[in-house]
Amino acid sequence: MDVEERRSAAVVGGGVGGLAAAVALHRAGWDVAVHERAPALEPIGAGLILWPNAVRALEVLGLGDGLKAQAVALSGSGVRRPDGRWLSRTDGDRVVSRYGGPQLAIVRAGLTELLASALPPGCLRLGTTVTDVDEGGPDRRASIRCDDRLVPADLVVAADGVNSRVRRALWPMQPPAEYCGYVAWRAVVRAPATGSGAASETWGRAERFGVVPVGPDQIYVYATANAPARTPRADELSELRTRFGRWHDPIPALLDAIEPGDLLRHDILAVRPSLRGLHRGRVALLGDAAHAMEPNLGQGAGLAIEDAVVLAHAMAGSAPVAAGLARYDRARTGRVARLARQSRLLGRLTQSPSATVAAVRDATVRLAPDRFALRGFDAAATWRPPVPTTQEQS
């Protein structure tokens, strides 16, 4: 049998991107296995905002109804100052009018479970560490080494995160992910609903605090601050209270609601410069492994899900793997590079320690009409999935 007819895919990494890739390829007719080093899909992580582009991608995967049953449709969003004054507010109806659907907010674990539920039995290979990869070639299958086992595959999808081992192995000249100079804290807290159903982000000097409803009594909170890269410590919550405890309501109460064991702290890393190609041989990079960017557009998970949908569309049917991967490259490299630059610029503005920069930034946002506030997200949120093939629709 010709090597192209076997159509098996090995996905490295069981996060949002890896699971989405597995679902998409399975729906396109591939035999898929997900290799995840964790012994279980633990409910780790905090919350996510999914813009309409991400929602459309999940709908292509047949998960639209399940997503909307779990997620919160945001009634609006806005930017505030630490004293509580609003700089900008956007009504949720305006998002729907401009982009064809609302922003949805969801607990990350809920999205992970939704994706995993769409996989066939036996697809998840938990507790499996991938230690090596062979990219294969036009007439030779790729393979991954899982501990002491060699697993051949027609396609390998590397979705193993910002510090991707596969990227380091096959793109040795690419610099490691770069620290961006600031950190993020994230948590989901049990708290009374704010009543508005809207999200907000408060901008200080080199500090931000976000509040996002993700359930009837759940709030996703996140914060950023310029700080040296370091390992998380036991007193992270104390640092958050020192930095943000005097900011406007409901921030102090939300800080009080955080359980120390639920607080996550991450150094913000990005892949720079952007990769000029997202595949090598029969190996495709996806999500943060391919294009980790600063989290300033709310598009990290969304772009990974987009990648999955586009990859599966490119690989559908009986076309050679090399041709499909070339199509995937053409569809994704320019888009993710542009959004990475946009997110980096927004990070420079919001994380600037300069009082002058902060004052000009705030005045610009405050004076701009609210109807213009969304325009900066057009490049991300207007994306639509490729038209499915007959095989994908079946």
Side-chain angles (χ1 to χ4, degrees), residues 114-393:
L114 182 65
L115 289 164
S117 71
L119 294 174
C123 178
L124 280 173
R125 312 289 170 82
L126 300 171
T128 302
T129 300
V130 175
T131 58
D132 199 8
V133 60
D134 178 351
E135 67 186 71
D139 301 310
R140 182 171 63 87
R141 301 178 82 194
S143 64
I144 57 174
R145 183 169 293 280
C146 302
D147 302 317
D148 59 350
R149 289 188 307 114
L150 194 66
V151 180
D154 297 298
L155 172 68
V156 172
V157 180
D160 51 340
V162 62
N163 292 312
S164 169
R165 179 175 289 184
V166 176
R167 188 184 67 240
R168 293 199 304 269
L170 298 185
W171 283 260
M173 302 306 293
Q174 176 72 22
E178 172 187 331
Y179 180 55
C180 301
Y182 60 103
V183 302
W185 294 269
R186 299 180 176 95
V188 173
V189 303
R190 292 282 179 180
T194 60
S196 67
S200 68
E201 186 169 282
T202 302
W203 292 354
R205 284 173 52 187
E207 294 178 330
R208 285 176 284 170
F209 198 98
V211 178
V212 183
V214 291
D217 62 348
Q218 289 184 300
I219 306 292
Y220 165 42
V221 298
Y222 63 88
T224 66
N226 292 4
R230 61 169 173 79
T231 302
R233 299 187 299 231
D235 62 347
E236 297 296 338
L237 186 51
S238 296
E239 181 173 352
L240 270 186
R241 287 171 173 159
T242 298
R243 289 180 177 273
F244 302 102
R246 297 187 177 183
W247 285 26
H248 65 80
D249 291 333
I251 291 175
L254 291 171
L255 291 173
D256 288 341
I258 297 175
E259 296 291 338
D262 295 337
L263 181 63
L264 304 174
R265 181 194 186 277
H266 301 287
D267 298 329
I268 299 300
L269 304 175
V271 174
R272 295 177 182 151
S274 298
L275 289 167
R276 295 183 178 179
L278 303 183
H279 85 280
R280 184 148 299 176
R282 291 170 175 261
V283 178
L285 290 180
L286 182 146
D288 280 353
H291 46 70
M293 62 184 69
E294 297 179 42
N296 302 313
L297 295 176
Q299 287 290 336
L303 289 177
I305 301 166
E306 283 186 21
D307 285 348
V309 168
V310 173
L311 177 63
H313 180 265
M315 305 305 300
S318 59
V321 169
L325 289 176
R327 288 194 293 272
Y328 171 65
D329 251 355
R330 290 193 298 270
R332 300 306 292 166
T333 50
R335 172 169 171 76
V336 297
R338 287 190 296 273
L339 292 179
R341 289 193 295 270
Q342 183 180 348
S343 187
R344 185 179 186 181
L345 175 60
L346 185 56
R348 300 291 76 77
L349 291 174
T350 53
Q351 294 298 138
S352 174
S354 166
T356 300
V357 170
V360 171
R361 173 200 71 194
D362 291 357
T364 301
V365 173
R366 186 176 67 252
L367 293 174
D370 288 345
R371 65 181 181 275
F372 293 152
L374 285 176
R375 290 187 176 183
F377 295 94
D378 281 0
T382 55
W383 178 89
R384 292 185 177 276
V387 177
T389 65
T390 301
Q391 183 176 4
E392 289 175 300
Q393 291 175 326

